[in-house]
Amino acid sequence: MRRQDLKEIWNSPGMRRLRNDMLSGRPSPYCADCYEWERSGLFSARLRANKDYAAHRSRASATNPDGSVDSFRLVYLDIRFSNECNFRCRICGPWLSTAWYAESPGSGARKALRPSDDPESLWRQIEPHLAELEEVYFAGGEPLIMKEHYRLLDALSRRGLFHVRLRYSTNFSQTSLGDDDVLRLWARFHDVSVAASLDGSGRRGEYLRKGQRWERTVENRRRMMKECPQAKFLLSPTLCVMNALHLPDFHGEWLEAGLSEPEDFHLNMLLRPEEYRINILPGNYKTDVERKYGEHVERLRRRWGERAVRPIEAFEGALRFLRAEEKEDLLLRFRAKTLRLDEDRGESFREIFPELAGLMG
């Protein structure tokens, strides 16, 4: 979007090629991550889009032979307003978080990445599509600290477009900006789904998501349950090598505390940076993961039955992913990166994750 406006992108050479690939059943390199997820039986963004937008399938017939589409209508909006973020998550970097920039001198990343240097130009492109929107997906960076996010919610509210589905990927660290309280705003919309990027509990969570204050995260969740009970809260951890053994414990804790419902679970399988993938684990650790996930799945079946289908499928898919490809050659890169960040941040992976201390050699 820094090089083209939305209308130009709609029928750009890349978009035309993508449409024709899809219509012809040819795998697209743009969709490689989704294909890898699907090979492990995980529910990808591609499959979700096919499910949620099945009613629009007939629009594909309006595709011209060159892959262009004459009607420029957006029913789904996902524009990352910036990489502004208050966290320095271990699995992240400056391209997705401004907080990371000070730790990444020489990375070549701009401190603030935005789709346009002129916020009003961007708004003028978005505004004509508001009336036809069915869903908006907010991510970042961290969307709940971005003023553009609140501007868009206000615009939808003033037009009475409360049927628009709101979807979030958020670190859930704060729920207001200035005078804007997002819980009060969400209470007006009919369908709100908040995917909270929480990877572990207590000190483990704070280590993985640098900047997190665990007690505040729990407090935000309890307040949401009280003030905005109609909004869906999805526990949405990213599974990486560091929380590979802890994740079942964390999931179980939140279920038993009533902070999460068993069916409201979405597991993100980390693919990059490659040195954080779970399949860098040596064989003995893979065996530990298989045992622990198997025990957790059985507990879910006994305790929650059909309500636990979604997390059961996610943990079983993670095990297939674990064994699908060997990546142990990346273990040295993981050690070096972890030791460097530990030294810079005054932290200790061995202390926080004693169950994985052997990975450090």
Side-chain angles (χ1 to χ4, degrees), residues 4-12 69-70 72 125 129:
Q4 297 174 295
D5 62 31
L6 282 174
K7 196 167 185 179
E8 291 171 328
I9 293 170
W10 184 253
N11 282 320
S12 64
V69 176
D70 297 329
F72 179 34
Q125 295 180 60
H129 297 278

Side-chain angles (χ1 to χ4, degrees), residues 226-348:
K226 180 179 179 181
E227 300 181 22
C228 199
Q230 86 287 357
K232 182 181 286 290
F233 180 89
L234 288 168
L235 199 59
S236 185
T238 296
L239 179 57
C240 68
V241 63
M242 290 174 280
N243 64 352
L245 282 171
H246 171 60
L247 192 58
D249 296 333
F250 168 46
H251 184 219
E253 287 171 17
W254 270 51
L255 289 178
E256 294 303 326
L259 296 171
S260 179
E261 298 297 329
E263 60 270 32
D264 296 335
F265 184 79
H266 176 74
L267 184 63
N268 298 293
M269 187 63 62
L270 181 134
L271 301 179
R272 286 177 297 277
E274 282 196 312
E275 61 270 19
Y276 289 149
R277 292 167 64 122
I278 61 170
N279 41 22
I280 77 163
L281 287 168
N284 59 317
Y285 283 103
K286 285 189 172 80
T287 300
D288 290 343
V289 169
E290 289 175 329
R291 175 187 53 77
K292 192 153 190 175
Y293 285 23
E295 292 171 353
H296 186 54
V297 162
E298 286 308 309
R299 282 194 299 272
L300 290 173
R301 283 199 178 99
R302 289 195 306 269
R303 177 75 168 82
W304 303 102
E306 290 297 316
R307 294 183 63 195
V309 167
R310 191 168 183 175
I312 286 171
E313 289 178 346
F315 279 102
E316 290 178 342
L319 290 178
R320 288 190 292 271
F321 180 87
L322 178 71
R323 290 296 188 184
E325 190 176 2
E326 297 294 332
K327 292 280 186 178
E328 289 184 36
D329 57 308
L330 296 170
L331 191 55
L332 290 177
R333 197 195 304 179
F334 165 77
R335 288 173 184 164
K337 190 172 184 177
T338 300
L339 286 170
R340 177 177 62 79
L341 281 174
D342 277 357
E343 184 175 354
D344 291 346
R345 297 179 176 186
E347 296 174 337
S348 170

Side-chain angles (χ1 to χ4, degrees), residues 16-84:
R16 297 200 309 268
R17 184 167 59 250
L18 176 60
R19 290 191 187 107
N20 278 334
D21 282 346
M22 287 293 173
L23 290 169
S24 302
R26 289 190 296 267
S28 169
Y30 301 127
C31 305
D33 288 0
C34 283
Y35 299 145
E36 186 168 1
W37 276 45
E38 290 163 22
R39 284 194 294 272
S40 295
L42 296 166
F43 196 67
S44 69
R46 189 183 77 92
L47 294 178
R48 177 184 177 275
N50 284 340
K51 174 179 177 289
D52 290 354
Y53 294 94
H56 292 282
R57 187 167 299 196
S58 61
R59 291 178 61 182
S61 62
T63 307
N64 297 316
D66 67 349
S68 62
V69 176
D70 297 329
S71 174
F72 179 34
R73 296 168 50 219
L74 296 180
V75 296
Y76 173 80
L77 185 65
D78 170 5
I79 294 179
R80 313 303 170 92
F81 289 110
S82 75
N83 63 335
E84 183 180 0

